[in-house]
Structures are given as C-alpha cells and as structure tokens.
Amino acid sequence: MGDALESETVLTNKSRIAKLSRDTKNKVIFSLNQFLTIDWLKEAWKLTRKSGALGVDEQSAEEYGVNLEENLISLLERLKSGTYIAPKIRRHYIPKSDGSQRPLGIPTFEDKIAQKAIAMILEIIYEQDFLNCSFGFRPNRSAHQALREIRNQIMDHRATWVLDIDIQKFFDSIDHAELRKILDKRVCDGVIRRLIDKWLKAEIFYEGISTKPISGTPQGGVISPVLANIFLHTILDEWFENEVKPRIKSPGFMVRFCDDFVMGFEKRADAIRVFKVLPKRLEKFGLTMHEKKSHLVDFRSPPNKISKTKLKEFEGRIRKIQSFNFLGFSHIWHSSRNGYWVIYQVTMKSRYARGLLSIKQWCKFHRHESLKLQAKRLRQFLLGHYSYFGITGNHRRLRRFYREVTELWKKWLSRRARGQNVDWQQFNQLLQRHPLPKPKIIHQYYTANL
C-alpha cells in the first residue's frame, strides 16, 4: 500500500511539472525543487540500474540499500541545502569499432540516484519543447522509430541527398557556458542549477590522478543524455526547423538520436548549401564536425519499376551508389521480387564483426563449462542480437550471424580437450538437446513484397 501511494504521489508531481512546462512555454521556470521529495528520490532509486560498475567509493547498490530510508533522507537534505558535494567520476575506457577508445564516466551509486532525480524533472520539462525529429533518450521513443522515420522520409518524399554527420567527441566538447545560457531560457531553479554546475565541474579520476574538466559532460553520467538533448535541441533541432527549412527550395528532414543524426534533401543544391554552413553552426557552440566521418551521400535509387532483363544491369549500378550508416545499420537500396527498389537496413559490418568477436571470446574462455550453461548464454547473445537487429530486410544477415555463431560454438567445443573433435553429426544432435534460437524479425517496418 505504501509503495502504491508513493507511486501515485510521484505520478501527480510528474503531471504537475508537465502542466507547468506547457503553461510557461518559452518562459523561464524558477521554482522546481518543491517536487524534489523523498518519494521522488525513491522513484529515482527504483529507476537507477543496480548492476552498474562501481564508482570511486566502491559502494554497491546492495550496500546502499541496507539503510535506504536513512540514506535517501540524508541525500535529500544535502541536495536541497546546497551542501551536496558531487563525488569524483571514475574514468573508464572501452574500445570502439574504429580502434580508438571511448571514455566513460562512472559516478558513485548515490550520485546516480541524485542525477536521476534531477534528470527526471528536466526530461518532463523539455519533453514539452522537444521536436519530433529527435528520438534518443526520450519516453516512448526508440532507435527503431528513428530508423523507420529515415526510411519513410526517403521512400515517401524522395529526400535522397543525405548528409551523414559525425560530431567529433561530442560529450567531451559540450561548452559549459553555452549550456548554461541554454538552460537559463527555461530552468532557473537555484537548487537544480547548482547541482548541474557541480556535476559539470566534478573531477575525473583515472589511474590515481584527478583532473578538473573545462568542458563536456561524462558519457555514463545519468544526467548526461538529457543535457545533451537539451543542448542539441537548441543548436541543431530548432535551427533546422526554424532557419534551414524555410530557406531550402525542396523538402528536407532531419532525424537525430542524441548526438547521431542525418539530414536528407530532395535537391543536391540544398544538401550542399547546408553541408557548407553546418560546420560554422556547430563551431559557434564549441563543437566540431568530423571531416573524415561526415559525408554528402548520393542516395538516389534506380528507376522504381524495371524489367527482369535489365535487373542485372541495375544491380551492377546499385553497387556504385553510396550507402550511409546510422545507429548500427547500413542503409542500402535493394530490388524487391517485383522489381521495385526499396531501402534495406542491414547490420553494419563493424557491428556484425564486433558481435561475433564477443561470442568467439566467450566460447573460447568458457568452453569447459557445462553444455547447458553454454547454450543458455548463447541463447541470450542471439536473442539480444535479434531484438535489436531483427528488422525487415535484415533476415539474410541474421541467418548468416546465426550460422557463424553455431560454427564458433562447434569449433570451441572441439577444443575442450585433445582428440575430442566434434563432427557435424554430433553437433546437430547436441543442438537438438540444446537448441539455439533461429533468426527472427522483431521489428516489422513495412509489408512490401521483398
């Protein structure tokens, strides 16, 4: 009964914040910390991931939860009184597909709760302002909706001159002064703004050395995605909607998922014009467009209806047409059974290779585990892969992925011990006892005859 009442209180406050934001459209909101209550912190605690990496204090979610009520009361008092001190952020690096490393910032568990509590308020306020072109880290929006929107825009409106843009080290480059100016237009509550400043200034701890950041917000920080969305909403989304669209001569679109975005235009001249001015727009706010990773893509399709005799000729031509990548998928033209050209979104080669490498390494180091345990883990791998990459048009690559996973499993089972090679007959019998999930399309984007 207590939890139900707490949820009802939080739900009521969420509605009040949303109404306040709608009623003060394009105006500053000064009083927000009244919504920061113990019930609000409990909700933030529920939503905070409990299995994440530990921060600099090495305190786990389980340890924090032993005296949860007392800890949250203490946290609330420090947040509202201004005595809360943002702890150091532990730096961790993970490899990227291009060979470089992506820096992550890992807060302490209590700091994650505090960030989540403030992020919840900011998300509700700015959700009333955000435009339909953004899909990342927003309620009831997903990467697959962004992918569907791109396909629909190109197929329906022929916006086939595509700007594939990469912002260089976006999270590390966010200008604190510019971010504060943007926040000034909407949120001026003293408690919330002081907390955001403390998180922006929080020291980064790596290999025993602490450094103070002069720009950026850590990837891995709970509040970082909403701050990134607020930043790009102002400098990119509103700019494209209010300044670019009225000035171009043909229809255009933009789809953004946090700092990943593409723009599409019907006319090449419009695409070139925006491509030239975009670096200046980003530089104005301290950002840099990655020259080597940003491209103008000629994504025009061949004639929509072609005869079978000319199919091979056009298939040869289509190989010369550029593709572009977005959210782990390569976007390509492919002919349907009826001779129509449609967009296929297939797993990027780098993401495909990364997935296989992960499974290969797991099979190698766990080949002596029981077959039941191995099959269970591989099922999890495959289902996770299908849940994201299982979209219409990608079935061929899913089948190939499934086949290569089974071959990897067979290979490493044969190396469990010398002289214990597993032939295909034995392996197929094993698969009957411990079946792996077959490829499955989870996201049905369209119902064309492919």
Side-chain angles (χ1 to χ4, degrees), residues 137-351:
F137 304 102
R138 293 180 59 187
N140 303 315
R141 291 190 161 231
S142 68
H144 293 100
Q145 290 175 331
L147 291 164
R148 182 185 303 182
E149 179 67 11
I150 287 177
R151 180 199 170 274
N152 291 345
Q153 287 285 352
I154 295 176
M155 292 290 293
D156 297 343
H157 304 294
R158 316 308 297 173
T160 51
W161 291 94
V162 176
L163 296 184
D164 180 12
I165 306 299
D166 183 271
I167 301 178
Q168 192 167 359
K169 297 182 179 179
F170 168 70
F171 280 92
D172 293 333
S173 303
I174 294 177
D175 187 285
H176 291 173
E178 293 294 344
L179 177 59
R180 291 188 186 99
K181 289 179 185 177
I182 291 171
L183 289 170
D184 284 344
K185 298 176 182 179
R186 268 317 243 148
V187 177
C188 282
D189 180 274
V191 170
I192 290 177
R193 291 299 299 274
R194 280 195 300 269
L195 287 168
I196 293 174
D197 278 345
K198 289 179 179 180
W199 286 319
L200 292 176
K201 297 175 183 177
E203 294 184 6
I204 306 296
F205 184 77
Y206 181 65
E207 293 185 343
I209 300 175
S210 296
T211 57
K212 291 185 177 181
I214 58 175
S215 64
T217 178
Q219 282 184 270
V222 178
I223 202 169
S224 294
V226 67
L227 292 179
N229 263 345
I230 293 169
F231 195 69
L232 289 176
H233 164 73
T234 301
I235 72 169
L236 199 60
D237 302 359
E238 289 187 329
W239 172 73
F240 188 84
E241 186 69 23
N242 301 329
E243 297 186 38
V244 173
K245 279 188 174 182
R247 289 176 170 82
I248 57 178
K249 298 178 180 180
S250 62
F253 77 90
M254 184 179 76
V255 173
R256 181 176 65 81
F257 192 94
C258 201
D259 62 319
D260 294 325
F261 67 95
V262 296
M263 297 175 175
F265 305 88
E266 185 177 319
K267 301 294 183 181
R268 181 174 181 269
D270 289 331
I272 292 175
R273 187 180 175 189
V274 175
F275 197 37
K276 288 181 178 179
V277 75
L278 187 57
K280 298 177 183 178
R281 175 65 182 180
L282 295 175
E283 287 171 9
K284 182 179 178 181
F285 295 90
L287 302 178
T288 304
M289 187 175 79
H290 201 302
E291 293 185 1
K292 293 183 178 180
K293 294 183 179 180
S294 300
H295 311 281
L296 170 58
V297 181
D298 179 356
F299 201 63
R300 291 172 296 172
S301 71
N304 208 20
K305 183 73 174 178
I306 58 177
S307 65
K308 291 184 178 179
T309 57
K310 292 187 176 181
L311 181 59
K312 289 186 178 180
E313 174 188 343
F314 281 112
E315 284 179 340
R317 178 189 162 190
I318 203 70
R319 295 189 186 97
K320 299 179 182 179
I321 295 177
Q322 297 185 61
S323 65
F324 64 94
N325 299 325
F326 186 65
L327 298 180
F329 289 88
S330 294
H331 294 65
I332 61 174
W333 288 103
H334 195 283
S335 59
S336 71
R337 295 172 183 172
N338 292 335
Y340 292 96
W341 290 99
V342 295
I343 295 175
Y344 273 19
Q345 295 163 315
V346 300
T347 314
M348 282 173 54
K349 292 180 179 179
S350 60
R351 294 290 295 270

Side-chain angles (χ1 to χ4, degrees), residues 385-404:
H385 188 84
Y386 300 157
S387 69
Y388 187 75
F389 292 103
I391 69 174
T392 306
N394 198 30
H395 198 270
R396 181 181 298 179
R397 199 153 288 190
L398 292 182
R399 289 199 308 267
R400 179 182 166 193
F401 190 83
Y402 169 83
R403 185 174 65 252
E404 293 199 47

